[in-house]
């Protein structure tokens, strides 16, 4: 009987240890977001070729070969925060969003089908679904992107829209998407220069290409970032328009806080030690009696 009781206690300890290591918490204070700078990036990062670009992929398809699982683009806006359009993560067949365990995010590579030396693959711990009046979704990565990763840098959220409007800098789109009459999937990421154009829909941004031939030559993928002066203006929606990120900033910061994914492993270990001590004491008592 005593052996069975000890086995039960050991199993409980193992289960408790597993739960502790799986625990993760995200700060959600608006002031922390301002203090720690979610959505900010170094000036050096802006000179690189879209270091914020994210490839969002389905794990089951990605197991066949690298790049097959790509379903849409996104943008890194914090150490562990990726934005994309909500419809990219929605499964129409069963009317539900993908579970985080079904998703992977690739950062640091401009190539879709070839893992480069700088590419990093991240798991997803949580997906924040948007309220009905918004159109973006938030993916929380399973770990923070190291600050020293020069080829992977977050892009700023458009918090100063008045300055952006007066800034003469050009707009750019980065995308994998499709090309040619046959609609073949692009291996190398595109970066196209565009200009703003009038848009009728609310919370939407519309563009026209500097080179009109590019408009017919390429079909952008969903979630393709639209940027200006190293700030994220929009993400491509189902139509040719882009979802206006500025209209989502308050909601994004409320959900993600300082943009980091703080793993509570320290508290988990302390809790495990306390629980183990408690079990040992109980075991000693059972032997005494």
């Amino acid at each position: 009987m005593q052996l069975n009781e000890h086995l039960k206690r050991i199993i409980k300890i193992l289960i408790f240890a597993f739960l502790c290591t799986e625990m993760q918490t995200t700060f959600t204070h608006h002031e922390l977001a301002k203090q720690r700078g979610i959505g900010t990036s170094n000036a050096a990062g802006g000179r690189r070729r879209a270091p914020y670009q994210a490839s969002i992929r389905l794990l089951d398809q990605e197991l066949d070969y690298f790049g097959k699982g790509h379903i849409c683009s996104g943008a890194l806006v914090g150490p562990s925060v990726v934005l994309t359009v909500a419809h990219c993560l929605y499964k129409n067949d069963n009317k539900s969003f993908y579970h985080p365990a079904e998703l992977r995010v690739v950062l640091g590579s401009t190539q879709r089908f070839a893992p480069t030396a700088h590419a990093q693959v991240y798991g997803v711990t949580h997906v924040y679904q948007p309220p009905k009046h918004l159109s973006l979704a938030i993916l929380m990565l399973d770990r923070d992107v190291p600050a020293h990763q020069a080829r992977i840098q977050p892009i700023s959220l458009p918090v100063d829209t008045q300055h952006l409007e007066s800034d003469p800098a050009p707009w750019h789109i980065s995308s994998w998407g499709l090309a040619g009459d046959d609609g073949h999937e692009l291996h190398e990421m595109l970066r196209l220069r565009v200009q703003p154009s009038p848009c009728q829909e609310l919370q939407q941004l519309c563009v026209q290409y500097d080179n009109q031939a590019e408009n017919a030559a390429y079909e952008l993928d969903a979630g393709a970032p639209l940027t200006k002066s190293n700030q994220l203006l929009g993400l491509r929606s189902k139509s040719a328009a882009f979802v206006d990120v500025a209209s989502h900033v308050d909601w994004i910061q409320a959900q993600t806080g300082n943009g980091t994914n703080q793993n509570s492993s320290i508290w988990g270990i302390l809790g495990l030690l306390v629980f183990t001590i408690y079990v040992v004491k109980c075991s000693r008592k059972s032997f005494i009696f």
Side-chain angles (χ1 to χ4, degrees), residues 101-145:
E102 298 180 86
L103 302 170
R104 290 294 182 271
V105 175
V106 178
L107 298 168
S109 177
T110 60
Q111 298 179 346
R112 172 177 170 179
F113 294 105
T116 64
H118 304 286
Q120 297 290 323
V121 181
Y122 292 82
V124 178
T125 61
H126 189 75
V127 175
Y128 288 103
Q129 303 171 17
K132 290 184 178 180
H133 65 285
L134 298 178
S135 306
L136 298 182
I138 303 170
L139 291 82
M140 298 301 300
L141 305 181
D142 60 357
R143 63 191 187 278
D144 290 349
V145 174

Side-chain angles (χ1 to χ4, degrees), residues 11-282:
I11 291 172
K12 289 179 180 178
I13 291 173
L14 292 175
I15 293 174
F16 187 81
F18 175 77
L19 293 175
C20 286
T21 57
E22 288 298 307
M23 290 166 60
Q24 64 88 27
T25 179
T26 303
F27 292 106
T28 57
H29 299 293
H30 189 80
E31 290 303 315
L32 273 178
K34 295 180 179 178
Q35 181 181 354
R36 299 291 293 276
I38 177 175
T40 61
S41 62
N42 298 330
R47 292 195 293 269
R48 297 187 179 274
R49 192 181 184 191
Y52 46 81
Q53 187 86 12
S55 172
I56 300 167
R57 308 183 176 193
L58 293 178
L59 176 59
D60 60 344
Q61 296 183 25
E62 197 69 5
L63 294 176
D64 292 340
Y65 59 85
F66 190 87
K68 180 182 179 181
H70 176 88
I71 53 175
C72 60
S73 290
L76 181 74
V77 296
S80 64
V81 183
V82 170
L83 296 183
T84 190
V85 286
H87 71 81
C88 164
L89 307 179
Y90 189 75
K91 296 184 286 187
N92 289 313
D93 53 349
N94 60 4
K95 307 298 181 183
S96 65
F97 281 82
Y98 287 110
H99 189 276
E102 298 180 86
L103 302 170
R104 290 294 182 271
V105 175
V106 178
L107 298 168
S109 177
T110 60
Q111 298 179 346
R112 172 177 170 179
F113 294 105
T116 64
H118 304 286
Q120 297 290 323
V121 181
Y122 292 82
V124 178
T125 61
H126 189 75
V127 175
Y128 288 103
Q129 303 171 17
K132 290 184 178 180
H133 65 285
L134 298 178
S135 306
L136 298 182
I138 303 170
L139 291 82
M140 298 301 300
L141 305 181
D142 60 357
R143 63 191 187 278
D144 290 349
V145 174
H148 60 78
Q149 287 277 5
R151 293 181 180 269
I152 307 176
Q153 290 291 317
I155 188 170
S156 302
L157 293 174
V159 292
D160 189 356
T161 55
Q162 290 184 346
H163 174 72
L164 273 176
E165 290 175 358
S166 60
D167 186 355
W171 291 19
H172 288 97
I173 301 170
S174 48
S175 173
W176 280 284
L178 307 175
D181 295 335
D182 59 347
H184 63 270
E185 297 170 321
L186 289 171
H187 169 57
E188 189 70 29
M189 184 185 69
L190 291 170
R191 193 160 187 263
L192 306 174
R193 180 167 170 165
V194 295
Q195 298 177 3
S197 65
C199 208
Q200 303 298 324
E201 299 292 331
L202 295 176
Q203 298 184 359
Q204 297 278 326
L205 298 173
C206 297
V207 302
Q208 60 182 14
Y209 293 83
D210 279 9
N211 182 354
Q212 288 301 317
E214 293 174 339
N215 190 15
Y218 302 114
E219 180 180 346
L220 306 179
D221 60 349
L226 173 66
T227 65
K228 176 182 179 182
S229 299
N230 205 33
Q231 294 195 52
L232 181 63
L233 300 182
L235 294 166
R236 190 177 185 273
S237 63
K238 291 180 180 179
S239 64
F242 290 76
V243 178
D244 182 15
V245 174
S247 61
H248 291 65
V249 167
D250 288 342
W251 174 72
I252 294 167
Q253 291 181 331
Q255 304 304 316
T256 62
N258 66 353
T260 60
N261 191 352
Q262 301 292 333
N263 191 296
S264 57
S265 57
I266 296 177
W267 292 107
I269 292 172
L270 291 175
L272 176 60
L273 290 174
V274 172
F275 185 76
T276 304
I277 294 171
Y278 170 76
V279 171
V280 170
K281 286 183 178 180
C282 291

